[in-house]
Amino acid sequence: MSAAISVAFAGRLGTFELNSRFEAPATGVTALFGPSGCGKTSVLRCIAGLQRVARGACSVAGETWQDDRTFLPAHRRAVGYVFQEASLFPHLSVRRNLLFGAPEDRGDAPVVFDEIVDLLGLANLLDRTPQKLSGGERQRVAIGRALLSQPRLLLMDEPLSALDAETKSEILPFLERLHDRLALPVIYVTHDMREVERLADHLVLMERGRVIGAGPLGDIQADTRLPVARAPDAAVTPDGMIETFDPHYGI
């Protein structure tokens, strides 16, 4: 792939051995999926430059962030990072939280403030402080703040894991809208296959620090050699298009 995200990290992190390599398109959503403790967050932190292993390589759409001779520190990597917790600044309004870290010169920015406010449904929240937001609203602000930093790659580390089921169902449609309307590539960490099925185009399976499968979502789901195809809730996600809608029955 010419316009690709290429990742290879190997080394020890405490007692944990990481040895993960994959390549993914520099478009759409790539999900890192696997059980808790398999190394998903470690890979994400290595991509961001927040952790360093003995042997590492990372390039995004032809730009080298790390190899045998190069290591760009975290502040020089054009990533937006969304954590499990929103971590908003409590003394700043939603508007000021969104703009924190945004480049001062935003004249030709690919991601603009009004578009993000519209996509994430934040227009009525701009003058509030984080203490007056629900969990889902706080996480939407955190996503908006990451996007407005004008990243080349958005990293999302289980952004729904701290939310209850009702709040998850509230925020998932906003993530789907981002996927449909923004060209920015996303690497999305989760251990919930339902999130993968709704959001991902490409799937990277991890187990005990290693990548055991990577490819388009449907291909990986259908590969009977991989554990997702043998799971009790195994499924394949086909491409489809809605042609008609019956408003009476809602189908």
Side-chain angles (χ1 to χ4, degrees):
M1 303 174 194
S2 56
I5 299 164
S6 182
V7 167
F9 297 113
R12 295 192 70 83
L13 295 168
T15 59
F16 183 75
E17 185 75 30
L18 184 67
N19 189 3
S20 296
R21 176 189 301 269
F22 67 87
E23 193 165 280
T27 58
V29 176
T30 295
L32 292 188
F33 178 80
S36 296
C38 70
K40 304 184 299 294
T41 293
S42 295
V43 169
L44 216 65
R45 290 177 60 83
C46 286
I47 293 171
L50 297 172
Q51 281 184 318
R52 191 169 184 175
V53 290
R55 300 177 302 283
C58 177
S59 64
V60 176
E63 180 180 320
T64 298
W65 291 357
Q66 184 175 347
D67 60 17
D68 292 340
R69 295 166 295 179
T70 304
F71 183 87
L72 291 185
H75 69 276
R76 291 184 56 200
R77 301 190 186 200
V79 299
Y81 204 123
V82 180
F83 298 89
Q84 294 179 23
E85 298 289 343
S87 302
L88 302 180
F89 296 105
H91 63 294
L92 299 181
S93 67
V94 166
R95 183 188 301 274
R96 292 179 65 195
N97 265 286
L98 286 169
L99 292 173
F100 189 90
E104 291 186 11
D105 180 11
R106 299 188 293 271
D108 59 350
V111 180
V112 296
F113 183 85
D114 290 345
E115 180 183 16
I116 292 304
V117 167
D118 176 58
L119 282 173
L120 292 171
L122 300 174
N124 296 327
L125 308 178
L126 294 176
D127 296 324
R128 295 190 194 178
T129 56
Q131 297 91 323
K132 297 180 180 179
L133 302 178
S134 68
E137 288 168 343
R138 286 195 295 271
Q139 198 64 314
R140 278 152 51 196
V141 175
I143 293 166
R145 179 176 62 184
L147 290 168
L148 286 166
S149 69
Q150 307 303 327
R152 297 191 63 191
L153 176 63
L154 181 63
L155 305 176
M156 305 185 80
D157 188 6
E158 301 201 52
L160 306 185
S161 66
L163 305 176
D164 58 44
E166 183 177 349
T167 307
K168 281 186 183 183
S169 64
E170 167 205 320
I171 200 171
L172 271 168
F174 290 101
L175 296 179
E176 288 174 321
R177 291 174 68 187
L178 292 175
H179 173 270
D180 292 340
R181 294 195 27 200
L182 296 182
L184 181 71
V186 179
I187 297 183
Y188 187 98
V189 164
T190 183
H191 60 265
D192 188 336
M193 182 53 75
R194 291 167 297 182
E195 293 175 28
V196 173
E197 290 168 350
R198 286 188 66 168
L199 299 173
D201 309 290
H202 199 83
L203 180 57
V204 177
L205 292 180
M206 291 192 63
E207 186 178 89
R208 298 179 183 177
R210 300 181 299 112
V211 171
I212 59 173
L217 174 61
D219 293 353
I220 296 298
Q221 288 177 310
D223 190 337
T224 55
R225 297 169 298 176
L226 297 173
V228 288
R230 301 192 297 269
D233 57 351
V236 173
T237 307
D239 289 327
M241 180 180 298
I242 296 173
E243 295 208 347
T244 59
F245 173 70
D246 185 330
H248 179 72
Y249 291 103
I251 57 174

